[in-house]
Amino acid sequence: MNKYPIAAKSLAILLIGASLTAACAKNEPTGGQNEPASKAEAPKNTTEYKGGPADLLVQDINTGTTDEQFKKFFADPIKAKYPQINLVQTRDSLDKLLTAGTPPDIVLVSNPSLGTVQEANVPEDLTQMIKTYGVNLQRFEPAIVDQLNQLGDNKAFYGIPFAMNYGVLTYNKDIFDKFGVPYPKDVNTWEELYEKANRLTRTEGDVKYIGILPGALSSMYWQYGVPVFDKTKKSATLTSDQHVKVLTLLKQFFATPGYMDKTTYAHSPNLFFKEQRVAMYPGWVASLISMFTTAGTKDSFKWDVVSHPTFGDKPNYGRSIDFHMAVVNKSSKNREAAYQVLLSIISDEVQTNISKAGRMSVLKNEAILNTFGAESGLFEGKNLKAIFKVSPAPLPEASKYDAKINSLLNDEVVKDVMVNGTDIVSALRKGEEKANKEIVSVQ
């Protein structure tokens, strides 16, 4: 049973406007524990900034914050309140900045990648900042707070979240109608979608249709909660029964007759969004706006959304929990100014702007969530409520080796199975040995 029923709460908040509850209040790590979530207030900044002029270097590791969004969500709001605080964005790597002696004051990072920042001994524990500035964590989705507590081993709070994402299954109604296949339900397992994909992967005339693009192996491992590195053993771990099970399921999709074209086992999302030859595409809801905008096809075919597929033995969980946070460098000389940036980004005003732009707010706020994607109009008339019928899956423990190990899995291991015909157990064993030899041992 999911500890935090984020899906049900978001469904009620976003689309039917039901009252918020405080069912998870007893688990919140800060004050106001008995206050109903619906009455949770924005942070009351009782400690105004008096630090004088400050130039803050803000590094974006992987939140996908564009230059325009950085200006709109970060730089302009803080400049309007404190003209003496100036923000400069950089996309240089953390290693490069630290080596050059120009460490960032703030790091923007996704929760799966926080481990990399922790390994560099950068994040400040923001527990005291949260208390000093009266940040009410009941304003945030409980699953996010829970994940941040886990990332800090329940001893520290290493970042303030400012945007989140949600898994979604987007499907092409025209293809389903063409071949007489029922649309996906609001909630579907991977196994159920495999059966539909089989019926929809076919060639009609000169057009080759594909039932579903299942995505990357690493994404499925994250969703299933399977780590790729064992911190106790200090080695890559890819050969458990769970690893074999997930890759076996992925192989079924790739092995569907008509899915592969000679040695091509991975396909571009353009086949769904632009060419309209794919029936189902699981991905992130926040990315749909940019994908449809780039393809220019949001009105050229009938489409809708339902929840991200689940595993049969984990029916409550969709795609892994994903959110973006701002981390303060504990060595920064401008930490007081950095705190003001964090307070600004979680204000109702900025969170509303984030939501309108199509990046989901981290706040449990009906009015804000109802504005999601409003600037694009993309989701008018769509079954958006369905995506919240499953909860984000908790992530396995992260490590600094994960990115490279996942790249090895997604490329070499999957190719070894699908193209070279290597059996799954042997391919995973080879990948594990290579990861330990060429990734773990050299870092």
Side-chain angles (χ1 to χ4, degrees):
M1 192 74 177
N2 186 11
K3 181 179 179 182
Y4 294 115
I6 179 175
K9 290 183 180 180
S10 296
L11 164 63
I13 295 167
L14 182 58
L15 291 139
I16 63 176
S19 298
L20 293 169
T21 70
C24 299
K26 62 182 180 181
N27 295 310
E28 299 299 341
T30 192
Q33 293 180 346
N34 296 317
E35 179 186 14
S38 59
K39 295 182 179 180
E41 299 179 352
K44 295 180 179 179
N45 188 357
T46 57
T47 306
E48 291 292 330
Y49 175 67
K50 300 177 181 178
D55 292 326
L56 302 183
L57 184 63
V58 183
Q59 184 214 11
D60 187 353
I61 290 184
N62 61 354
T63 71
T65 302
T66 66
D67 293 344
E68 179 183 359
Q69 290 173 342
F70 181 77
K71 184 175 186 297
K72 183 176 182 180
F73 305 151
F74 287 86
D76 287 353
I78 196 66
K79 178 68 71 172
K81 186 171 184 179
Y82 298 114
Q84 65 269 51
I85 299 178
N86 182 52
L87 302 186
V88 177
Q89 186 181 30
T90 177
R91 300 187 189 279
D92 287 342
S93 71
L94 185 58
D95 286 343
K96 181 177 180 180
L97 293 172
L98 294 177
T99 301
T102 56
D105 298 283
I106 297 174
V107 176
L108 308 183
V109 64
S110 67
N111 57 298
S113 298
L114 179 62
T116 301
V117 186
Q118 289 174 292
E119 291 284 350
N121 198 28
V122 168
E124 177 184 3
D125 177 7
L126 297 177
T127 300
Q128 186 56 51
M129 175 261 184
I130 289 169
K131 293 179 180 178
T132 299
Y133 291 90
V135 178
N136 187 351
L137 296 182
Q138 287 187 17
R139 300 176 65 231
F140 299 89
E141 283 290 359
I144 294 177
V145 177
D146 183 52
Q147 176 72 7
L148 274 168
N149 280 326
Q150 291 182 37
L151 292 171
D153 295 326
N154 293 311
K155 299 176 182 178
F157 209 81
Y158 286 127
I160 294 296
F162 64 87
M164 69 177 295
N165 216 332
Y166 228 101
V168 62
L169 178 72
T170 311
Y171 65 98
N172 185 320
K173 287 185 171 182
D174 291 337
I175 296 178
F176 278 85
D177 292 342
K178 182 179 182 67
F179 298 119
V181 178
Y183 297 153
K185 300 176 297 183
D186 282 0
V187 179
N188 310 268
T189 66
W190 282 110
E191 293 81 1
E192 288 171 333
L193 294 183
Y194 170 69
E195 297 300 326
K196 290 186 182 294
N198 259 337
R199 299 173 62 185
L200 294 166
T201 302
R202 57 173 76 184
T203 298
E204 185 83 2
D206 295 329
V207 181
K208 176 181 176 181
Y209 293 94
I210 296 175
I212 191 171
L213 302 185
L217 177 59
S218 62
S219 177
M220 297 184 78
Y221 278 152
W222 273 347
Q223 180 184 352
Y224 202 62
V226 184
V228 295
F229 183 81
D230 188 322
K231 286 190 173 181
T232 301
K233 297 180 179 179
K234 298 182 180 180
S235 64
T237 174
L238 306 176
T239 55
S240 72
D241 291 344
Q242 292 176 309
H243 289 91
V244 172
K245 175 180 180 177
V246 174
L247 181 50
T248 299
L249 176 61
L250 182 61
K251 181 183 177 181
Q252 286 183 294
F253 286 102
F254 287 160
T256 302
Y259 184 93
M260 287 185 61
D261 181 12
K262 296 181 180 179
T263 61
T264 301
Y265 59 91
H267 300 287
S268 167
N270 282 335
L271 297 188
F272 180 91
F273 292 96
K274 189 172 184 179
E275 299 184 26
Q276 300 163 35
R277 293 195 292 110
V278 170
M280 297 177 283
Y281 177 76
W284 295 117
V285 66
S287 68
L288 295 185
I289 294 176
S290 62
M291 288 181 170
F292 272 115
T293 300
T294 300
T297 57
K298 77 180 182 72
D299 298 318
S300 66
F301 67 99
K302 292 188 298 181
W303 61 274
D304 211 335
V305 296
V306 293
S307 61
H308 189 278
T310 67
F311 285 97
D313 58 346
K314 296 190 176 184
N316 296 322
Y317 294 114
R319 196 163 184 178
S320 55
I321 181 73
D322 182 81
F323 58 90
H324 299 149
M325 70 187 88
V327 174
V328 176
N329 188 340
K330 63 184 179 182
S331 299
S332 170
K333 297 179 181 179
N334 298 301
R335 294 201 308 281
E336 295 297 325
Y339 299 156
Q340 297 301 329
V341 176
L342 271 55
L343 294 171
S344 172
I345 197 68
I346 59 173
S347 68
D348 286 354
E349 179 182 0
V350 175
Q351 284 291 303
T352 299
N353 290 335
I354 287 175
S355 179
K356 287 180 178 179
R359 303 189 70 172
M360 192 168 288
S361 171
V362 294
L363 303 182
K364 298 183 304 179
N365 183 303
E366 179 183 349
I368 293 175
L369 291 174
N370 278 333
T371 67
F372 178 69
E375 291 179 355
S376 70
L378 183 70
F379 298 105
E380 291 181 9
K382 303 303 180 185
N383 188 26
L384 193 64
K385 64 183 180 181
I387 76 172
F388 302 109
K389 290 188 176 183
V390 297
S391 298
L395 281 170
E397 190 174 22
S399 80
K400 66 179 181 180
Y401 306 106
D402 286 2
K404 291 185 177 180
I405 294 176
N406 285 330
S407 179
L408 174 66
L409 282 167
N410 294 334
D411 298 330
E412 295 186 33
V413 172
V414 172
K415 181 178 180 180
D416 201 17
V417 172
M418 294 309 306
V419 178
N420 301 335
T422 304
D423 70 273
I424 289 174
V425 174
S426 297
L428 287 170
R429 184 181 299 113
K430 286 168 58 180
E432 184 177 274
E433 292 172 351
K434 183 170 183 178
N436 284 319
K437 181 180 178 180
E438 299 182 13
I439 298 175
V440 177
S441 65
V442 299
Q443 292 193 39

